[in-house]
């Protein structure tokens, strides 16, 4: 609407008028998941979002693919934006891995190295607020579709070196047909998807998929409108063709494969918990691309403080890179996620894993001071640091991996930890 469109023109794909409305037909498994955040609008540069929670941007992406980076910027400048804002927006939405030109302040140069992830399309001011806690480092926006067969637009604030990064080998499947070759014989020519959209924490119901089957089975020649409606649902729910006129949501083990986790990584917890944990996880191949610079730097291994990293995406990435983890202190609230990480660790690692359920109160005997993530001001105090960055007596850690659960609060945790590590940043956060 900030570009001059009416509200009616801006709101598309309203689920209330769709033949297969998602209302009442899907198992919602979490109230604060990344799939909700994934649908935050990129107006975050300019105002509040007007998109429906089920808005599907795949059509926009197909249109944008036809334009070069400079053409997209020029188009937005022609609408009256200053050049800096379009360049930021196009880079954020593109997500293509590229060389990052930056100059870190001396206090931010590692070790320790930190790595923080959040959804790319966050509301206005969120990224600036998170960067403020982390030496004002600009996020690096990357879409996982350049590393695997599904999209996952994320931003990463980190102080890792950016030269000589390399992908994991063997390279994973990059398209749906490569990942699921058996689906080719059932794939209709009008379904033009090459990759899945962002994998989320909920899946389509049996009622929805049965409705699609009946529509296809009862139509000798599917009209263009019905084709578009079916394709919309396939994109929205990442449905896979598994038989004649038959689609199905991805199984947990299929999501594990797409996200770069070992087979049966989440097996042992409930099906609902598996979807929730995987939908909120790292994409391992993307993370490994960033962390690959650590392999030659620490041939004898590293210590890791992992804040709310779920089912261990960063740890799996380090393991697949061949980087030995001597000690990992993992702070994770979800019991299911801690169980998944512990099971994987016991089967694959020889180092020490210390798991902490949450950070709630100060403890003089813990190597990592527990604190509650909801109160940003209390974060620095409970960590034993001040807003002026007094030195802490905590041991030195070489690599810090974290992803977003409480967004700004977790960024505050990282900033406070880094202050305490060596009295790095003078002044406020």
């Amino acid at each position: 609407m900030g570009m001059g469109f009416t509200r009616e023109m801006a709101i598309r794909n309203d689920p209330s008028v769709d033949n297969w409305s998602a209302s009442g037909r899907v198992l919602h498994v979490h109230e604060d998941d990344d799939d909700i955040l994934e649908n935050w609008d990129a107006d975050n540069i300019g105002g509040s979002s007007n998109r429906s929670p089920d808005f599907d941007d795949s059509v926009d992406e197909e249109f944008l693919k036809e334009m070069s980076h400079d053409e997209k910027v020029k188009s937005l400048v022609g609408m009256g934006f200053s050049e800096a804002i379009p360049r930021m927006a196009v880079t954020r939405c593109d997500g293509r891995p590229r060389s990052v030109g930056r100059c870190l302040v001396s206090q931010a140069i590692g070790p320790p190295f930190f790595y923080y992830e959040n959804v790319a399309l966050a509301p206005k001011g969120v990224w600036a607020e998170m960067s403020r806690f982390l030496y004002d480092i600009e996020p690096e926006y990357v879409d996982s579709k350049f590393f695997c067969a599904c999209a996952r637009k994320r931003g990463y604030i980190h102080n890792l070196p950016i030269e000589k990064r390399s992908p994991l080998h063997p390279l994973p499947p990059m398209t749906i047909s490569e990942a699921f070759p058996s689906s080719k014989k059932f794939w209709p020519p009008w379904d033009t998807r090459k990759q899945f959209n962002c994998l989320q924490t909920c899946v389509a119901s049996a009622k929805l998929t049965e409705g699609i089957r009946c529509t296809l089975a009862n139509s000798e020649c599917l009209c263009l409108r019905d084709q578009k409606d079916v394709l919309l649902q396939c994109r929205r729910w990442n449905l896979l063709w598994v038989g004649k006129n038959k689609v199905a949501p991805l199984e947990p083990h299929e999501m594990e494969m797409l996200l770069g986790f070992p087979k049966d990584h989440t097996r042992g917890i409930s099906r609902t918990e598996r979807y929730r944990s995987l939908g909120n996880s790292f994409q391992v191949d993307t993370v490994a691309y960033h962390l690959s610079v650590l392999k030659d730097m620490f041939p004898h291994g590293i210590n890791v403080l992992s804040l709310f990293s779920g089912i261990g995406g960063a740890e799996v990435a380090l393991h697949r890179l061949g980087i030995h983890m001597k000690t990992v202190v993992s702070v994770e609230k979800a019991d299911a996620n801690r169980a998944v990480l512990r099971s994987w660790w016991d089967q694959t690692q020889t180092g020490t894993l210390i798991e902490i359920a949450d950070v709630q109160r100060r403890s003089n005997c813990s190597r990592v001071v527990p604190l509650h993530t909801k109160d940003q001001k209390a974060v620095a105090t409970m960590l034993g640091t001040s807003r002026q960055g007094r030195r802490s007596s905590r041991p030195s850690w070489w690599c810090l991996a974290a992803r977003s659960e409480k967004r700004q609060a977790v960024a505050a945790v990282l900033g406070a930890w880094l202050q305490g590590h060596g009295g790095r940043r003078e002044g406020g956060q």
Side-chain angles (χ1 to χ4, degrees):
M1 292 177 72
M3 296 181 182
F5 294 100
T6 65
R7 181 179 180 84
E8 290 72 21
M9 295 171 65
I11 300 178
R12 301 184 301 160
N13 299 334
D14 188 342
S16 65
V17 298
D18 187 77
N19 290 333
W20 297 292
S21 171
S23 176
R25 299 189 182 182
V26 60
L27 174 63
H28 293 282
V29 295
H30 204 256
E31 295 179 354
D32 187 29
D33 294 318
D34 278 358
D35 56 303
I36 299 174
L37 306 179
E38 186 72 24
N39 289 302
W40 278 339
D41 198 86
D43 60 303
N44 324 317
I45 300 172
S48 60
S49 173
N50 289 303
R51 287 189 178 183
S52 159
D54 291 320
F55 181 86
D56 182 85
D57 62 357
S58 54
V59 177
D60 295 334
E61 290 185 355
E62 291 299 322
F63 168 72
L64 289 172
K65 286 178 183 178
E66 300 174 2
M67 303 175 66
S68 68
H69 184 277
D70 291 337
E71 287 173 336
K72 297 171 189 175
V73 173
K74 185 176 180 180
S75 175
L76 290 173
V77 170
M79 296 179 185
F81 293 96
S82 63
E83 184 171 348
I85 291 177
R87 287 200 178 277
M88 181 190 304
V90 171
T91 299
R92 182 182 300 190
C93 295
D94 178 7
R96 185 182 302 273
R98 52 170 58 86
S99 298
V100 180
R102 62 176 182 174
C103 182
L104 300 180
V105 296
S106 59
Q107 299 97 319
I109 298 175
F113 294 107
F114 62 87
Y115 186 77
Y116 174 83
E117 180 211 64
N118 204 330
V119 292
L121 302 183
K124 181 181 179 181
V126 169
W127 274 113
E129 180 73 6
M130 292 184 292
S131 293
R132 188 168 64 90
F133 289 106
L134 299 171
Y135 309 114
D136 296 309
I137 296 175
E138 289 291 326
E140 178 181 357
Y141 298 106
V142 179
D143 193 330
S144 293
K145 68 182 181 181
F146 298 105
F147 294 91
C148 66
C150 60
R152 204 173 190 80
K153 297 176 183 177
R154 296 291 186 266
Y156 303 89
I157 301 177
H158 64 85
N159 65 341
L160 292 163
I162 57 177
E163 297 83 12
K164 299 181 180 179
R165 299 191 289 198
S166 58
L168 275 175
H169 288 279
L171 297 175
M174 294 298 296
T175 64
I176 297 174
S177 61
E178 291 176 358
F180 303 99
S182 61
S183 67
K184 291 180 182 179
K185 58 183 176 181
F186 307 118
W187 207 273
W190 44 264
D191 186 343
T192 56
R193 292 177 298 158
K194 302 298 182 185
Q195 293 180 306
F196 291 114
N197 286 332
C198 182
L199 304 182
Q200 302 185 3
T201 61
C202 51
V203 296
S205 67
K207 187 175 182 179
L208 174 65
T209 55
E210 176 63 14
I212 293 176
R213 189 196 66 79
C214 291
T215 297
L216 297 174
N218 296 332
S219 302
E220 293 183 4
C221 183
L222 200 64
C223 67
L224 183 61
R225 177 185 175 85
D226 286 343
Q227 288 180 11
K228 289 183 177 180
D229 287 341
V230 172
L231 184 54
L232 172 64
Q233 299 301 329
C234 288
R235 282 176 168 159
R236 178 176 294 166
W237 298 111
N238 288 319
L239 299 177
L240 182 68
W241 295 95
V242 296
K244 182 180 180 181
N245 297 330
K246 185 179 181 181
V247 293
L250 293 168
E251 294 293 326
H253 72 274
E254 294 170 334
M255 290 180 63
E256 290 171 345
M257 180 267 291
L258 291 170
L259 291 170
F261 289 97
K263 185 179 179 181
D264 294 332
H265 183 70
T266 58
R267 191 171 183 177
I269 60 177
S270 73
R271 185 180 180 86
T272 297
E273 289 172 329
R274 293 181 77 181
Y275 279 121
R276 177 170 57 211
S277 297
L278 289 165
N280 284 326
S281 72
F282 279 123
Q283 204 291 320
V284 173
D285 298 274
T286 308
V287 174
Y289 174 73
H290 291 139
L291 300 184
S292 61
V293 297
L294 298 173
K295 185 172 183 178
D296 293 336
M297 297 176 65
F298 301 108
H300 302 297
I302 59 174
N303 299 314
V304 180
L305 171 60
S306 180
L307 301 176
F308 307 104
S309 60
I311 54 177
E315 291 85 347
V316 173
L318 289 168
H319 172 67
R320 291 187 59 191
L321 286 166
I323 300 175
H324 174 59
M325 290 166 281
K326 296 188 290 186
T327 302
V328 170
V329 174
S330 175
V331 181
E332 173 56 48
K333 293 177 64 175
D335 294 339
N337 290 345
R338 293 200 305 275
V340 169
L341 178 60
R342 170 59 68 180
S343 175
W344 173 83
W345 185 274
D346 290 344
Q347 296 177 65
T348 62
Q349 305 301 303
T350 58
T352 301
L353 173 64
I354 302 172
E355 291 186 301
I356 300 175
D358 196 4
V359 267
Q360 297 177 342
R361 63 185 181 277
R362 185 161 183 164
S363 171
N364 293 326
C365 53
S366 175
R367 296 183 70 187
V368 175
V369 181
L371 52 101
H372 197 282
T373 58
K374 292 183 179 179
D375 188 345
Q376 294 185 24
K377 184 177 180 180
V379 166
T381 303
M382 294 182 182
L383 274 171
T385 63
S386 70
R387 296 183 73 85
Q388 284 69 42
R390 291 199 301 269
R391 180 180 297 273
S392 170
S393 60
R394 288 189 307 283
S396 173
W397 298 87
W398 290 350
C399 178
L400 190 150
R403 68 179 296 277
S404 62
E405 183 181 83
K406 298 300 181 184
R407 298 180 288 286
Q408 293 103 315
V410 178
V413 173
L414 293 186
W417 184 87
L418 289 164
Q419 287 182 10
H421 178 78
R424 285 174 169 265
R425 187 174 181 178
E426 295 299 323
Q429 295 179 339

